[in-house]
Each structure stands twice: as C-alpha cells, then as structure tokens.
Amino acid sequence: MGTTQLESVPEPKYWHLKTVLSEALDAEFSVGEILPNERDLAARFGVARATLRQALEQLELEGRLQRRRGVGTTVAPPRMGVAVGAHGQAWPGEADDTWQPLDCMPAAPPAAVAGQLGTGREEPVHTVRRSRMSHGQPVAAELLYVPAASVPDLSAIDVPSGAARARAVLRELQRLPLQRQENAVELGSARADDAKELDRLPGAPVLVVTTRYLAADRTAALSVATYRADTCRLTFGDSGDVEIHHDPENQAS
Amino acid sequence: MGTTQLESVPEPKYWHLKTVLSEALDAEFSVGEILPNERDLAARFGVARATLRQALEQLELEGRLQRRRGVGTTVAPPRMGVAVGAHGQAWPGEADDTWQPLDCMPAAPPAAVAGQLGTGREEPVHTVRRSRMSHGQPVAAELLYVPAASVPDLSAIDVPSGAARARAVLRELQRLPLQRQENAVELGSARADDAKELDRLPGAPVLVVTTRYLAADRTAALSVATYRADTCRLTFGDSGDVEIHHDPENQAS
DNA sequence: CAGTGGTCTAGACCACGTA
DNA sequence: ACGTGGTCTAGACCACTGG
C-alpha cells in the first residue's frame, strides 16, 4: 500500500514543462515582457532545447507567447475578439472599414472554389485581395472570388486592376439583393503569401473562414479569409468586444 | 545572368517535403490507405526522422493525415461539416439529437467562466457534460455551465447527478425565454480529459467554441465546446452538409 | 512479441533582426 | 558582429497496438 500510484502514468516532460511555464507566465510575467532565450531556459529546466521548444510551441499555439526570429520570445496579450459575419447579413465592403481592398485581378480559382461558385474549370473570375487590420496589426488576409455573372455591369476597360478596381467590383456586387451568407471555420496553415501579409512564418496556424454569399439561390461570391490563429478569437453574432480573462491550465479563453 | 535565382531563398526541407507528400497523397493514395512507416519514409526521402515528422505534423494539422501510435499513419477523409449554432437560436438540448448528455454535477467554474456568468468566485454552478457524435465518431466534448439562478425550479433532491440530472437541467433551462446566443471560436489544445473523450492525445489541436446564451439581458448559460480541429469544419448559419473537394497546395477547404 | 508512432537528447548550422 | 529563434541530424528509449 501507499506510494500513491508512483508515476504509473508518466507525464511527458514537455507537457509538464508547459504547465510550469504557463503558471510562471501568470504569476511572474506581464504582457510584452521578454522571456530568457531558449538555450538558457532549456538549461534552467535541465532539458534539451528541442524539448523546451515543444513546450513553447504549444504555448504559442494557445496564444500565450509570441516568438520572433532574431528578436526573442515575448508574453502575448490576450486574444482579440474579431467579429465575423456580425453585420447581420451584408455584402463585403458594405459600411465596412475593417477590410481594406488591396487589388483585383482576373484569375482561375482553385478547383474547390470553382466548384462552389458553379463556374467552369479554368474560367477566370474577379479575384479581390483584401487585408483586415485590428488594433493596429494585420489579423486576416482574404481572397474574394466574384464570378463575372455577379457583376454584369462592370466596365472592364477603365480600371483593369489595382485597389480602385477592387472597390469597383465591391460596389457592383452590392447592387445585387443579398439572400443570406454561410460561414465555415476550419484550421489551416498559412501559405507563403498569406504568412508574409500576416507577419508570420509560412505554415503558421490560421483559422480559415469560408463565406458563401448567396443571391437568387446562387453563390454570388465566395470569400476565403485566413485569420491568425494565435492572436484572434472569432466571434459570431455580436460585436466581438467582450473581454475575457485568462484561464490557467490549458486550452484558451 | 542565367542560373535563375539559384536558391536564393532556400525552402526548408520539411516544407518542401510536405508539398511533395501532399501531391503524392492526391495522386497515389486513397482515403484510409496506410502510409509506409516514418523510418522508411525518412530513409526514402533522405532526411532525418524528425524532419519527416515535421512534415507529417503539418499534414495532420491540415486534416490530410491521421496518425495513431502503435498502428500507423493513414490518409484521412475530407473534413466533415459540423453545424454550430445553426438552429437559428435555440437552447442546448432543444430538438437536438447530436449532443448526448453524459452527466451533471455542481462545481465552481473557472474564473473566466464565472466572470461571464456574473456569479461569484467559488460559487458552484450546474456543470453539464455532453458529447457530440457525427458520422459515428466523437467530434466534440462540451462543458455547459448553468447558474442556479437560471433554473430556479430545479428540485435538488430527486436526482443528484448523472445523465438524468443533466436532462433535467436542460429541460428547466428551456423554460426561459431565449434572447439570443453569441458564439466565439478560437484555437486551443485538448486537455487530458477532453483528449480522451475525443480519442486524441493530450495537446491535440482543437477548436474551442464558446457560446453565451442570453435571457433577459443576462448570461443564462455558457457552453465551452472543444471540437477536433483535424476532422471538423465548423459551419455557421446553414445545415452544414456542403461537400467540398480538396485543394492541393496548402491550407484547407 | 514485433512494429508503430511519441518523446528526448546533444549537438550543428542557418536566417533574421538589431545594434 | 552578435544574439535570437528556425532547421536539421543521428541516434536512443518509451508507450501503445496488434497478432
């Protein structure tokens, strides 16, 4: 008897390390503060650097830490609430200053997108790039696919591309009666171009929000927006400004 | 001249490996098929096992692969669409057979939850555990917090705990007039208990959906549901059964 | 029991940001 | 030039699953 289970389920080192670090973050560090570098931390805890990194990766995934090459590891602020599809139901660009149109060019969308739009393979559609800022930093990069059929009155000649073109496409789109929109969220990893725009490394975890805009029972436009998973909490159905304190022991919120 | 940039931006090996594997999955493998083991794969590509694993981890994060210790690595089916908050606005357990109540016990919620509920610290609330199945596998584990004030007519005596108690709490909750509900989605990692219920390892990536149920301008209940991020695509505002084909080259959808 | 993925080590070198 | 995190290696052992 006694001995109380004697480590019959040995916790992995990196997991225990993560717990210890997490508690230390709550107790001894404040937002923005710089942690000791990885080599020192690993030595202090008596583990290999790779093991220490495994713990840091988890904490970064949960939005507790921010790591930047050449700079260091800092304590991240709580995730910001970002409203998605909150304007009830509205076209993109409608009374919307959170998204900034960058440019627009005709291009054949990926097969999955073409399938949902109901356009033919290799058929070019208007592809609008937009960027979303919040609290002074980029939080999302979007590709908005608009079939030519959805903006029939768009004059192709005056402005062939650029931000002005993007605004023109959005303006034309808003003339259609919006039936409803459907949102889907899934986990992905940042493509090289998105990563650059989001100020992250390629492969960084992102929340991919796919929005279908329906008009007259057809998909009039499709938006694929990639949000930084480390800094964002996506909110649906409200204004998205609820403050949430941190809950030690894992997960988030 | 010539030499066309000569690798001035050398892609990391694991990233290139991921691309190669991803294309191989599309071209030469079908869903459910078993891949060669990690040691063989690493040898075949001439890299260390750790590097190969880095590529596999990314592909698993994107829902392309499924790895199980002691078994092997298999090709994952496309993510399933899971409807979240789609019944317009309804209480949990209302005409809802996707969630299965497991049990219910009084417990003091985490500080973050207590804050949103407006209950005092250490004040116990009804804590309902539910499990969600889809296509025969568990996709989400939920903790639903219901303050005593929201279910005033609940008799504390007859059924102190268990699934029957959980159903009783849900039934009482539905007598309140539901004002609206607010959803938030963020990335997290599975706690040990959630991981077990979701048939994953602790720390596995999950999508944490927090739902506030509002009645009479108060938070009448709060749900924290953790969905498997590898197998689920969360849908808002529709029935969530859209089929989506796979898009090679990264991300998801 | 053999074979799988999961954890861990102790090194090395590289890419990047800052000074 | 220096210090940071990012990548990579070649091993070792452990935990789990299945026959």
Side-chain angles (χ1 to χ4, degrees):
Chain A
M1 45 161 284
T3 75
T4 67
Q5 273 285 80
L6 183 55
E7 291 297 338
S8 78
V9 183
E11 209 174 34
K13 273 191 190 178
Y14 79 90
W15 184 264
H16 180 244
L17 203 50
K18 178 194 141 185
T19 307
V20 172
L21 285 170
S22 180
E23 286 164 1
L25 289 182
D26 288 328
E28 304 165 35
F29 287 87
S30 50
V31 169
E33 200 166 344
I34 321 175
L35 268 64
N37 71 53
E38 298 183 348
R39 291 164 181 84
D40 286 352
L41 274 181
R44 180 177 315 184
F45 287 105
V47 300
R49 193 179 152 217
T51 305
L52 185 267
R53 278 180 60 81
Q54 212 172 341
L56 293 184
E57 261 152 42
Q58 282 250 351
L59 289 170
E60 191 180 28
L61 198 77
E62 293 171 20
R64 307 287 315 274
L65 293 179
Q66 182 154 2
R67 300 192 286 174
R68 271 176 304 170
R69 165 151 56 178
V71 180
T73 303
T74 56
V75 181
R79 287 199 176 118
M80 57 182 107
V82 179
V84 176
H87 310 74
Q89 306 286 340
W91 289 110
E94 204 165 346
D96 195 13
D97 55 354
T98 60
W99 285 101
Q100 186 167 350
L102 297 182
D103 64 11
C104 173
M105 42 198 296
V113 172
Q116 289 204 53
L117 287 176
T119 60
R121 293 187 64 84
E122 306 302 322
E123 177 183 338
V125 301
H126 298 113
T127 306
V128 177
R129 282 205 315 133
R130 295 198 301 169
S131 168
R132 181 167 182 174
M133 306 283 293
S134 185
H135 299 77
Q137 38 179 326
V139 293
E142 181 201 44
L143 284 180
L144 178 68
Y145 301 97
V146 183
S150 296
V151 285
D153 297 339
L154 186 69
S155 60
I157 359 176
D158 357 334
V159 197
S161 65
R165 174 71 165 183
R167 279 187 292 269
V169 170
L170 293 176
R171 202 181 324 115
E172 285 299 310
L173 198 54
Q174 287 163 23
R175 295 174 53 185
L176 280 176
L178 176 61
Q179 196 172 17
R180 74 174 194 280
Q181 71 184 54
E182 296 175 355
N183 295 289
V185 182
E186 62 187 317
L187 181 58
S189 46
R191 284 195 320 261
D193 53 347
D194 290 333
K196 193 177 174 187
E197 192 167 341
L198 297 177
D199 193 26
R200 302 260 39 188
L201 289 179
V206 291
L207 296 172
V208 182
V209 179
T210 308
T211 305
R212 281 215 300 169
Y213 295 92
L214 297 175
D217 288 321
R218 284 180 51 265
T219 303
L222 191 100
S223 153
V224 178
T226 69
Y227 288 79
R228 284 185 59 154
D230 55 345
T231 58
C232 294
R233 192 180 75 251
L234 307 183
T235 68
F236 292 82
D238 67 353
S239 56
D241 260 333
V242 192
E243 270 314 311
I244 298 198
H245 292 110
H246 203 80
D247 173 19
E249 170 63 12
N250 181 5
Q251 280 196 355
S253 82
Chain B
M1 43 156 285
T3 74
T4 68
Q5 272 284 77
L6 183 54
E7 290 297 339
S8 79
V9 182
E11 210 173 34
K13 273 190 189 179
Y14 79 92
W15 185 263
H16 180 245
L17 203 50
K18 178 194 140 186
T19 308
V20 172
L21 284 170
S22 180
E23 286 164 1
L25 288 182
D26 288 328
E28 304 166 33
F29 288 87
S30 50
V31 169
E33 201 166 343
I34 322 176
L35 268 64
N37 71 53
E38 297 182 348
R39 291 162 179 86
D40 285 353
L41 274 180
R44 180 177 315 185
F45 287 106
V47 300
R49 194 181 152 215
T51 305
L52 185 269
R53 277 180 61 80
Q54 211 172 340
L56 293 184
E57 261 151 43
Q58 282 250 350
L59 290 170
E60 191 179 29
L61 199 78
E62 293 171 22
R64 307 287 315 272
L65 292 179
Q66 181 155 1
R67 300 192 287 174
R68 271 176 304 170
R69 166 153 51 177
V71 180
T73 303
T74 57
V75 181
R79 286 196 177 121
M80 58 183 107
V82 179
V84 176
H87 311 73
Q89 306 286 339
W91 289 109
E94 203 164 347
D96 194 14
D97 54 354
T98 60
W99 285 101
Q100 186 168 351
L102 296 182
D103 64 13
C104 173
M105 43 200 295
V113 172
Q116 290 205 53
L117 286 176
T119 59
R121 293 187 64 85
E122 307 300 323
E123 177 184 339
V125 302
H126 299 111
T127 306
V128 177
R129 282 205 315 134
R130 294 198 301 169
S131 168
R132 181 168 182 173
M133 307 282 294
S134 184
H135 298 77
Q137 35 180 328
V139 294
E142 181 201 44
L143 283 180
L144 178 69
Y145 301 97
V146 182
S150 296
V151 286
D153 297 339
L154 186 69
S155 60
I157 357 175
D158 359 332
V159 197
S161 65
R165 174 72 165 182
R167 279 188 291 270
V169 169
L170 293 175
R171 201 181 325 115
E172 284 300 309
L173 198 55
Q174 287 162 24
R175 296 174 53 184
L176 281 176
L178 176 61
Q179 196 171 18
R180 74 174 195 283
Q181 71 183 55
E182 297 175 355
N183 296 290
V185 182
E186 63 188 314
L187 182 58
S189 45
R191 285 196 319 262
D193 53 347
D194 289 334
K196 193 177 174 187
E197 193 166 341
L198 298 177
D199 193 25
R200 302 260 38 187
L201 289 179
V206 290
L207 297 171
V208 181
V209 179
T210 308
T211 304
R212 281 216 298 168
Y213 295 92
L214 297 175
D217 287 321
R218 284 180 50 263
T219 303
L222 190 98
S223 153
V224 178
T226 69
Y227 287 79
R228 284 184 59 153
D230 53 345
T231 57
C232 295
R233 192 181 73 250
L234 307 183
T235 68
F236 293 82
D238 67 352
S239 56
D241 260 334
V242 192
E243 271 312 311
I244 297 197
H245 292 110
H246 204 80
D247 174 19
E249 169 64 12
N250 180 6
Q251 280 195 355
S253 80

